[in-house]
Amino acid sequence: MKDILPEEARIRDRVERIAREVLERHGFRELRTPILERTELFARGIGEATDIVSKEMYTFASRSGDSLTLRPEATAGVMRAYIEHNLHAAGGLQRLYTIGPMFRYERPQKGRYRQFWQVNAEVLGSDVPELDAELICALAQIIGACGVADYRLELNSLGCPECRERFRAHLQGYLRERLDQLCPDCRQRAETNPLRVFDCKASGCQAALKDAPVILDYICDDCRRHFEAVQDYLGLAGVRFSVNPRIVRGLDYYRRTTFELSSERLGAQSAFAGGGRYDGLVKQLGGPDVPGIGFAIGLDRLLLLLPEDNHEPRPAYLATLGDEARRAGFVLAESLRARGIRLEWDPAAKSLKAQMRQADKARARVALILGADELARGRVVLRDMDTKEQHEAALEAEVLAGELAARLQETEDKGKKS
Ligand code: AMP
């Protein structure tokens, strides 16, 4: 679990804002659920045989003896809230999103942490393929708006439970004949959750899968039509994708459409977003039989892909000389900030030179210099920190705020263009 320092927090904030904006344009509304849920919710929702539930959850007993778990993913909690608050009673579609930390006890490495952040989006209420395509379009728009273009979008269909069961049996038969080639984990997966073997990175397991059956050969006509329609809509929207019948995803609840976004730039943990349809999950958790589909973006990994960011807004900096000027400066600083000006100062600094050094460090666009002499005349010196030009202006917050706003805005616009 890592600390997020200010430089990174600012970039995260920007990405989160982009995600909110794109999702809200698509009609999503925010839902915030607790970070803790009852353990059984995840056991029932995600599946006992998944890696997440069997070995990656932070689970503990509360004082009253309940077993609680730090959420390892968002969908189960969103479904619980959806059922608990009768959100389905409104009828029609519910488009919900949530942004926040998830927790998994995994071996840490680049792009893999024990506390990590996700943007989650879920559409509940219908299983028409337009919704699958629309959700994937929204996801692609978020990633595009973040400035990331070099990634792969891979699609698959896991079919309905009947297709999946048929496939599972065939795959299991195939794997049982090759148990000696599999890693110890996959030998067990072959029995409990054979589809998961596709996700194993071990070279022996990958080699053993070379001629393995693929799910797309086992899906029924309805599932096939659905999958074709999703691809058709993505094509119409100009979203580039490829079909990869080996994208199975780790969780038990997926049905039909599944998808994953990945980038070679990320190394071993190459997937930075993924999702799929989970018709049947709401019912399984005790709610009505409402179909749904969702995605999760791993923010920590998306951050590793972002282009260099030079959008940090530049502040004004106030330098004061002497006790009187510091007193007046205090009032000036607050009234400028109240008028929307981003302004920094250091009332503990001793010399003008030290304050100018700090102004440079803060990447200030303009410095306001206020000494006893200026104060007596009701003036303040404005110094352009880039050109070093100086001029005096009236010490009047309203007028100063206007001039500063124009200058700071100018640099922000320049930053955005570059
Ligand atoms: P999953 O629920 O496993 O499909 O994860 C969805 C996304 O969350 C992945 O594509 C990753 O980007 C991200 N993710 C999952 N586990 C971790 C982790 N331990 N650390 C950082 N990001 C993660």
Side-chain angles (χ1 to χ4, degrees):
M1 298 189 190
K2 61 172 193 167
D3 297 312
I4 292 168
L5 299 178
E7 184 59 20
E8 187 182 328
R10 188 178 58 76
I11 298 171
R12 281 176 182 258
D13 181 57
R14 192 168 77 82
V15 172
E16 288 177 16
R17 264 193 268 180
I18 290 173
R20 281 174 196 283
E21 207 181 292
V22 173
L23 289 170
E24 287 178 13
R25 256 187 255 152
H26 280 83
F28 286 80
R29 294 180 306 150
E30 187 178 15
L31 169 73
R32 300 188 189 192
T33 65
I35 283 170
L36 281 174
E37 297 278 354
R38 287 181 196 282
T39 305
E40 66 170 45
L41 173 71
F42 301 115
R44 279 171 60 198
I46 303 175
E48 298 272 9
T50 58
D51 284 357
I52 294 185
V53 173
S54 63
K55 52 188 189 201
E56 293 171 2
M57 297 205 302
Y58 282 92
T59 295
F60 59 94
S62 76
R63 285 177 188 278
S64 57
D66 295 331
S67 179
L68 300 180
T69 293
L70 287 172
R71 62 181 183 194
E73 56 97 60
T75 304
V78 172
M79 296 308 111
R80 182 210 33 79
Y82 176 82
I83 297 167
E84 191 171 321
H85 302 284
N86 260 323
L87 298 185
H88 49 87
L93 300 174
Q94 284 282 341
R95 292 183 174 87
L96 301 167
Y97 75 91
T98 189
I99 302 179
M102 309 294 150
F103 303 83
R104 291 182 197 172
Y105 192 85
E106 291 187 274
R107 197 168 45 80
Q109 63 181 94
K110 182 186 166 199
R112 191 157 76 189
Y113 312 99
R114 289 177 171 176
Q115 174 173 348
F116 58 97
W117 273 258
Q118 285 186 344
V119 174
N120 270 86
E122 323 280 352
V123 183
L124 291 145
S126 167
D127 63 0
V128 299
E130 286 82 353
L131 293 173
D132 304 40
E134 181 193 85
L135 184 83
I136 295 172
C137 286
L139 172 58
Q141 267 184 38
I142 294 172
I143 307 304
C146 289
V148 178
D150 56 334
Y151 65 89
R152 259 196 324 268
L153 163 58
E154 293 176 299
L155 287 192
N156 191 19
S157 173
L158 294 182
C160 54
E162 293 79 47
C163 310
R164 192 168 160 153
E165 202 37 56
R166 236 185 351 259
F167 174 64
R168 192 189 134 101
H170 275 89
L171 180 64
Q172 196 161 49
Y174 174 90
L175 292 172
R176 278 182 181 151
E177 285 167 19
R178 290 163 182 80
L179 286 181
D180 53 332
Q181 297 175 44
L182 301 180
C183 73
D185 276 350
C186 283
R187 242 170 268 158
Q188 190 168 359
R189 285 181 191 130
E191 290 310 315
T192 54
N193 200 355
L195 269 71
R196 273 296 268 161
V197 177
F198 282 112
D199 284 340
C200 184
K201 298 265 184 328
S203 56
C205 300
Q206 283 303 320
L209 285 170
K210 205 163 88 40
D211 302 312
V214 290
I215 183 124
L216 289 179
D217 292 335
Y218 292 80
I219 64 177
C220 65
D221 287 348
D222 277 355
C223 289
R224 184 171 309 282
R225 269 194 293 277
H226 182 96
F227 191 43
E228 280 166 2
V230 175
Q231 295 178 58
D232 185 34
Y233 278 113
L234 288 176
L236 290 174
V239 173
R240 288 187 28 208
F241 64 90
S242 55
V243 172
N244 178 353
R246 298 192 167 202
I247 300 282
V248 294
R249 318 253 326 129
L251 317 183
D252 276 359
Y253 53 59
Y254 287 116
R255 304 272 177 269
R256 293 195 163 172
T257 315
T258 53
F259 49 92
E260 207 158 85
L261 273 59
S262 59
S263 166
E264 269 150 28
R265 281 198 280 139
L266 290 173
Q269 300 301 313
S270 62
F272 63 92
R277 181 161 278 293
Y278 46 76
D279 306 342
L281 178 62
V282 181
K283 188 164 179 219
Q284 190 183 320
L285 292 175
D289 193 4
V290 174
I293 181 164
F295 71 64
I297 303 174
L299 281 178
D300 309 81
R301 292 187 197 166
L302 176 56
L303 241 60
L304 296 172
L305 295 174
L306 294 189
E308 182 110 21
D309 168 277
N310 50 9
H311 293 182
E312 185 168 24
R314 294 174 66 183
Y317 198 95
L318 171 66
T320 61
L321 286 162
D323 293 346
E324 279 306 305
R326 190 163 58 241
R327 210 176 141 76
F330 177 89
V331 178
L332 177 63
E334 282 312 308
S335 55
L336 287 175
R337 288 164 176 160
R339 289 174 168 80
I341 301 299
R342 182 181 284 258
L343 180 134
E344 297 183 24
W345 77 321
D346 176 1
K350 295 280 180 289
S351 66
L352 182 61
K353 205 169 146 203
Q355 293 179 73
M356 285 300 111
R357 250 199 324 266
Q358 300 226 24
D360 275 330
K361 246 199 207 150
R363 296 173 57 254
R365 177 68 188 88
V366 189
L368 295 96
I369 303 167
L370 187 61
D373 174 47
E374 286 83 16
L375 186 59
R377 292 185 289 114
R379 312 285 287 174
V380 60
V381 173
L382 292 190
R383 178 180 169 88
D384 186 305
M385 295 299 289
D386 294 346
T387 64
K388 313 291 176 207
E389 278 168 62
Q390 294 194 175
H391 69 274
E392 276 193 4
L395 186 53
E396 246 180 79
E398 190 69 49
V399 183
L400 278 174
E403 170 153 5
L404 291 172
R407 284 243 220 141
L408 299 179
Q409 186 60 44
E410 212 176 89
T411 48
E412 239 184 76
D413 292 345
K414 247 193 236 154
K416 275 188 192 131
K417 267 188 226 124
S418 64

